[in-house]
Amino acid sequence: MKLSSSTKAILGVAFFTILFHAGSVLAAPPDAVAGKAKAQTCFACHGENGIGISPEIPNLAAQPPLSITYQLIQFRGQQRKGGAMEALAAGLSDQDMRDIAAYYAALPAPPAKSGNAEKIAKGQQISNTQYCNSCHGPQLQGQKHIARLAGQSSEYLVTQLKNIRSGSRVDMDGTMGSAARGLSDDDIEALAAYAASLN
Ligand code: HEC
Ligand code: HEC
């Protein structure tokens, strides 16, 4: 049978529409209860309450679920490396990631941390002038695939901002790389203190 090019185009669209819907039907909705069971190995470092056990380990509590999932995908694909997370993510399926993300996302946000008032005020000023909140949310609470910074460990934030600035941590779409490029070490310290001081 000979098909006209317009028929082929219609068949092509239909094929992708079917694939797309098959994908969304086959993927079970995220399940936080299953996620808790799957996250047992994570508790040793990220805590059952989603609070990292030491300053270099990020808090996951109240992180947007898409942000957690995307970071795990990046660790699994080894686009992002650090803290043995590549090995830990290697064994997780997409469904495991969505379930674990649902569990951590639903936990209460980490408490605000006190810090040097001058540094915090400077950080807030830089955050406003650099539009950090346009992506990370008005209170830096994160949204969609963009991480929560509020209440995060300031040590962790400093490390990540320096890694993103130097390019040793490659971000998924380059937007965060551009945002970090112009920051000085002092800016980064101030921004981290400000973010940590939020809840
Ligand atoms: C041995 C300690 C350890 C264990 C166990 C561990 N992590 Fe991590 N995790 C880390 C460290 C350290 C980092 C920061 C890595 C870096 O420096 O980039 C991290 C980063 C992350 C991030 C990125 C967070 C962000 O804000 O970008 C996610 C998500 C994450 N871990 C999820 C998990 C999950 C899910 C598990 C369990 C399957 C797990 N981790 C187990 C230590 C650990
Ligand atoms: C255009 C949107 C955008 C702007 C503006 C932006 N960010 Fe981001 N940021 C992102 C995205 C997207 C990610 C996730 C990057 C990735 O890993 O792929 C991210 C990640 C981060 C991370 C890593 C968080 C973690 O848990 O690992 C930090 C820290 C951060 N941003 C701080 C800032 C600061 C400070 C500013 C202002 C100077 C800023 N961002 C401005 C989009 C943005």
Side-chain angles (χ1 to χ4, degrees):
M1 186 173 64
K2 269 206 142 183
L3 298 174
S4 73
S5 58
S6 58
T7 314
K8 280 184 192 159
I10 291 165
L11 284 176
V13 170
F15 179 66
F16 282 108
T17 310
I18 290 162
L19 258 191
F20 179 77
H21 285 287
S24 47
V25 170
L26 292 177
D31 180 342
V33 174
K36 182 173 186 179
K38 292 173 178 178
Q40 298 295 318
T41 48
C42 322
F43 293 171
C45 295
H46 294 284
E48 184 169 355
N49 57 359
I51 308 293
I53 58 156
S54 60
E56 72 278 9
I57 301 177
N59 301 330
L60 301 179
Q63 284 261 9
L66 258 190
S67 175
I68 295 178
T69 307
Y70 281 13
Q71 292 308 320
L72 288 171
I73 290 172
Q74 292 190 68
F75 282 124
R76 187 178 60 188
Q78 306 213 5
Q79 291 97 346
R80 180 175 173 190
K81 297 180 182 172
M85 278 306 304
E86 310 92 89
L88 286 154
L92 301 177
S93 69
D94 291 0
Q95 189 65 40
D96 294 341
M97 292 178 181
R98 283 193 291 267
D99 291 346
I100 292 173
Y103 168 69
Y104 276 120
L107 296 174
K113 290 170 200 68
S114 55
N116 179 304
E118 220 173 294
K119 232 181 175 181
I120 292 173
K122 185 182 169 200
Q124 178 167 19
Q125 196 195 341
I126 302 169
S127 176
N128 289 337
T129 53
Q130 301 291 318
Y131 306 107
C132 309
N133 44 10
S134 70
C135 291
H136 289 274
Q139 290 298 310
L140 304 183
Q141 74 279 21
Q143 57 162 336
K144 298 184 217 153
H145 62 293
I146 305 177
R148 158 183 276 273
L149 308 178
Q152 187 54 280
S153 150
S154 56
E155 288 89 336
Y156 171 77
L157 292 174
V158 167
T159 307
Q160 296 307 314
L161 281 167
K162 289 184 175 172
N163 289 350
I164 294 171
R165 182 180 62 181
S166 74
S168 69
R169 174 174 165 188
V170 178
D171 62 312
M172 56 188 123
D173 58 6
T175 52
M176 189 52 224
S178 321
R181 205 147 300 136
L183 301 174
S184 70
D185 286 0
D186 280 354
D187 294 344
I188 287 178
E189 294 279 342
L191 282 164
Y194 167 58
S197 79
L198 300 171
N199 173 229

